[in-house]
Amino acid sequence: MSYNGRGKTHGGKPARSGGQVSRTGLKEGELPFYKQAANILARLERREGSIKNLTIGNDDIKDEDKRTIYALICQTLKFAPVLTRVLDANKVMKKEKLGRRAELLMANDMLLSSQGLRRKDADPKMNKAMSRHESSLKRELNRIRQEVRARNDEDLVPLHLRDGASTFRYVRVNNLVSNMDKVLEHFYKEGYEIVTPSRDELHDVLQVRARKLMRDLDLDDVLVFPPGTDLHAHRLFVTGAIILQDKASCMPAHVVQPTRGSTALDACAAPGNKTSHMVSMMGNEGKVFAFDMDRFRLNTLVKLTDKAQCKIIEAKCANFLELDPLDPEYASVEFALLDPSCSGSGIVNRMDVLVDSYIALSQDADQVAKPETDKARLASLAEFQTSIVLHAMRFPNIKRISYSTCSVHEEENEAVVARVLAAQSEFALAPRDQVIPSWPRRGLKSSGLTEEQAACVVRTLPEDGTNGFFVAGFVRQTPADLNRIREELRALANTDKSAMLPPKDDAEAEAAPDMDAPYRGNKRKAAGGAKPVKKEKRHDKKPKPASAVVPSTKSKGKKRPKRKESVADA
């Protein structure tokens, strides 16, 4: 998406006006445009959510301004290094006291937008203060242009922040709304060239923003577009015919392989792209239980899966580890998709790079959040992840499980698989020919797996053109031992409840490739004013339903400002 500074994004519709009660167009209590955008920059610095969910998913921003602010934020982050140099050289920050974030945003519009400073919904005093320095700011920018020999504005951007420095853009065809043939025909009529390169030719053929696409080489319901392709305003996305979802994030549903008419569960379901993928594969026949501990994130799941026309999901606000696997309600569950909290170390999309670069620019190095590498934290995550898999294996009729993370660390991936295999004997790894067999990068055998076992799991890395990811499949070998399950549940009933929760810092840092998960940083009421639900009773007591079904997000009640993801369109 490109930005022109005047309430439009190229490829989108012009912002609508309405409800003006002052010359600025602001209603009582509304923040001026640049102050509102500056607040989002502040929240990004605190890592309270993704760019997309702090803008597109933010109910405090008017609908007609969401895409404009999103595009402004992205462009400002991209040009932040050069804009900071320009502002520092002119001492604007000290002279006008507008606030550094607002000045960056306004300098972007003044210096890099063809339309200049925005007037609608802006503070005239702020605009006037900034405009007093327009000439000196432009002189400094031109000096920098000459210094770096910039042929265009893109040359002012550090190489690692340019538009081409990103992975391919992936699209999943939603078979509940359309099908692959119809989607391909639609793009073909729009002028896209359908290409068929080999795996080694992908980067050469799908160059940045080329009007080309191809069917994915490994997943039959996924399309691949060049880096920089923006489909957020495309008719097929708006109608739910396609889902913007990273390829790696599409792998778990293909590994768990739910069948039509069956019953499945998603243990850590929000924001819902993987859930809707299972429903798509099931043809909207059967039932899918979707669990998540956070009601606000679960409301996002309801909204996204409604858009995808999913009809068989029962969304429940519950801790999966506190569910009773022997509850008759879950007696028919045969498939389980497990994508628990992880370090998120595999997520390296361009939006993350922009945010990290901006935070490093705006804070001292020792204040910048670092990637998850602490061994103690990884050990804590791995323990939680292992418990999720083992608990799923206690559901007596489950016959197939997928386990995935968006991490590149062995501790969360192969080591967890090895621990699960050593802890029980009813499940074994699904054979390679059932786990994305054409994908070449397989698991590591240095964490307790044999070479044959390592070949049965899948790894992806950014160099593969997708996010870093891990997927393993488990298949039942022997009938469930109900006596053993009951004994384990009695033992769990005496376990400290905190042991059933993901590590504290991780609940917010979870970065599944869906990348569209909502911000979860405060405790305002859910959509429709829904109250927090009670948790299910512990395993040693008579089980009750996990929770009430989450109310529809279509309610007009007050909503929480938000974060999947997820975008990459992860």
Side-chain angles (χ1 to χ4, degrees):
M1 178 192 304
S2 58
Y3 173 73
N4 71 4
R6 188 66 80 182
K8 285 185 182 180
T9 52
H10 295 308
K13 296 180 179 179
R16 301 186 305 273
S17 61
Q20 294 186 355
V21 295
S22 69
R23 290 183 180 179
T24 64
L26 292 172
K27 296 179 181 179
E28 184 178 356
E30 287 183 344
L31 285 175
F33 178 81
Y34 289 115
K35 284 188 177 181
Q36 193 169 39
N39 284 347
I40 294 170
L41 283 182
R43 293 178 68 182
L44 286 171
E45 291 175 23
R46 297 192 296 269
R47 297 190 183 277
E48 291 184 357
S50 68
I51 302 173
K52 184 179 297 181
N53 285 283
L54 293 178
T55 53
I56 306 298
N58 190 339
D59 295 323
D60 292 335
I61 300 177
K62 292 186 291 187
D63 287 343
E64 60 263 33
D65 287 342
K66 289 182 177 182
R67 289 180 60 80
T68 302
I69 292 180
Y70 172 81
L72 171 60
I73 292 289
C74 290
Q75 182 159 306
T76 301
L77 294 180
K78 176 180 172 181
F79 286 94
V82 68
L83 293 174
T84 298
R85 285 186 61 188
V86 170
L87 292 168
D88 285 346
N90 287 270
K91 310 298 181 186
V92 171
M93 297 179 187
K94 294 181 180 179
K95 291 180 179 178
E96 301 297 350
K97 298 181 180 180
L98 295 175
R100 183 182 186 210
R101 302 179 188 97
E103 289 169 343
L104 283 169
L105 294 158
M106 297 174 78
N108 176 86
D109 276 358
M110 175 182 284
L111 303 176
L112 301 171
S113 165
S114 61
Q115 301 295 328
L117 287 173
R118 176 185 171 109
R119 292 185 177 87
K120 181 178 181 291
D121 294 345
D123 184 336
K125 293 182 180 179
M126 292 177 66
N127 282 11
K128 184 176 180 180
M130 195 72 183
S131 296
R132 281 196 287 265
H133 303 272
E134 183 172 1
S135 296
S136 60
L137 290 172
K138 287 184 174 179
R139 281 197 302 270
E140 179 61 21
L141 180 61
N142 287 332
R143 188 195 66 76
I144 295 175
R145 281 196 174 105
Q146 294 175 5
E147 175 187 310
V148 301
R149 298 181 180 180
R151 295 164 298 178
N152 50 49
D153 287 344
E154 190 74 11
D155 288 345
L156 296 171
V157 181
L159 287 174
H160 70 289
L161 298 182
R162 295 185 187 178
D163 290 343
S166 59
T167 62
F168 298 119
R169 299 300 172 90
Y170 295 94
V171 164
R172 173 169 63 81
V173 174
N174 181 9
N175 290 316
L176 302 178
V177 178
S178 187
N179 59 53
M180 179 62 75
D181 290 339
K182 289 180 180 179
V183 169
L184 284 172
E185 182 181 5
H186 189 105
F187 281 113
Y188 178 76
K189 289 180 178 179
E190 288 185 347
Y192 281 84
E193 179 186 356
I194 301 173
V195 296
T196 56
S198 66
R199 203 178 299 275
D200 293 335
E201 298 171 329
L202 289 180
H203 289 278
D204 293 330
V205 175
L206 296 180
Q207 296 182 356
V208 178
R209 290 201 175 95
R211 206 163 175 78
K212 298 179 180 180
L213 78 154
M214 63 173 286
R215 294 192 64 164
D216 187 74
L217 298 173
D218 308 290
L219 307 178
D220 60 10
D221 53 359
V222 172
L223 294 173
V224 190
F225 289 79
T229 303
D230 183 9
L231 298 170
H232 286 90
H234 196 279
R235 179 176 176 273
L236 293 180
F237 173 69
V238 173
T239 59
I242 60 173
I243 309 292
L244 305 184
Q245 186 174 355
D246 189 75
K247 173 177 178 171
S249 176
C250 296
M251 289 182 173
H254 281 279
V255 171
V256 74
Q257 300 173 11
T259 56
R260 284 179 176 266
S262 64
T263 302
L265 67 79
D266 189 339
C268 311
N273 278 344
K274 298 181 186 70
T275 318
S276 70
H277 195 180
M278 282 202 296
V279 176
S280 178
M281 296 177 72
M282 295 164 67
N284 250 342
E285 298 176 12
K287 188 171 188 177
V288 174
F289 291 102
F291 303 104
D292 201 274
M293 291 189 295
D294 190 307
R295 175 176 290 278
F296 308 103
R297 283 167 48 78
L298 208 57
N299 276 337
T300 299
L301 176 144
V302 172
K303 181 178 179 180
L304 292 180
T305 55
D306 279 353
K307 177 183 175 183
Q309 298 190 22
C310 298
K311 307 296 184 185
I312 60 172
I313 296 174
E314 184 171 345
K316 295 191 175 189
C317 187
N319 182 345
F320 178 70
L321 289 176
E322 294 183 16
L323 298 180
D324 183 356
L326 301 183
D327 187 328
E329 183 177 13
Y330 309 122
S332 61
V333 176
E334 297 178 281
F335 303 94
L337 190 152
L338 314 177
D339 189 67
S341 296
C342 70
S343 65
S345 57
I347 303 300
V348 288
N349 70 82
R350 178 173 170 266
M351 293 297 101
D352 290 333
V353 173
L354 288 176
V355 173
D356 289 344
S357 174
Y358 169 70
I359 292 176
L361 190 68
S362 61
Q363 298 180 357
D364 293 333
D366 60 353
Q367 294 179 307
V368 179
K370 307 242 180 351
E372 177 58 74
T373 56
D374 180 76
K375 295 297 181 183
R377 286 278 299 138
L378 290 178
S380 179
L381 283 166
E383 182 178 357
F384 171 75
Q385 292 153 354
T386 302
S387 66
I388 288 283
V389 182
L390 291 175
H391 194 59
M393 291 177 172
R394 295 186 183 106
F395 286 70
N397 290 315
I398 280 186
K399 59 185 182 182
R400 193 172 184 92
I401 295 170
S402 71
Y403 166 70
S404 59
T405 74
C406 52
S407 170
V408 297
H409 297 306
E410 288 183 56
E411 293 92 330
E412 301 177 87
N413 298 331
E414 289 89 352
V416 167
V417 170
R419 290 173 66 180
V420 167
L421 293 175
Q424 52 77 48
S425 59
E426 293 180 1
F427 284 82
L429 279 173
R432 173 172 177 154
D433 62 6
Q434 297 179 14
V435 185
I436 324 292
S438 60
W439 182 254
R441 192 182 299 280
R442 314 307 288 191
L444 307 174
K445 60 179 181 178
S446 57
S447 297
L449 298 183
T450 66
E451 184 173 356
E452 181 180 1
Q453 289 173 328
C456 294
V457 302
V458 163
R459 269 183 169 269
T460 69
L461 294 176
E463 62 198 69
D464 300 321
T466 183
N467 288 297
F469 209 74
F470 175 86
V471 191
F474 297 93
V475 291
R476 181 175 290 281
Q477 303 296 298
T478 61
D481 184 339
L482 297 182
N483 290 329
R484 176 189 60 79
I485 293 173
R486 293 189 183 98
E487 290 177 5
E488 290 180 356
L489 294 180
R490 281 194 290 269
L492 285 173
N494 298 318
T495 302
D496 181 3
K497 193 171 184 178
S498 64
M500 295 186 176
L501 300 173
K504 286 185 179 179
D505 293 340
D506 214 58
E508 309 248 340
E510 184 181 48
D514 304 276
M515 300 275 191
D516 287 329
Y519 163 58
R520 53 190 298 183
N522 60 36
K523 296 183 179 179
R524 288 170 59 185
K525 286 185 179 181
K531 297 179 180 179
V533 298
K534 294 182 179 180
K535 298 293 184 180
E536 185 164 339
K537 295 293 184 179
R538 300 297 293 269
H539 301 304
D540 58 337
K541 305 227 179 138
K542 186 176 180 180
K544 292 183 179 180
S547 74
V549 175
V550 174
S552 171
T553 54
K554 295 180 181 178
S555 170
K556 296 183 180 179
K558 192 174 183 180
K559 297 182 182 179
R560 179 189 186 178
K562 300 277 174 196
R563 175 212 210 274
K564 217 110 75 278
E565 50 214 356
S566 79
V567 187
D569 311 312

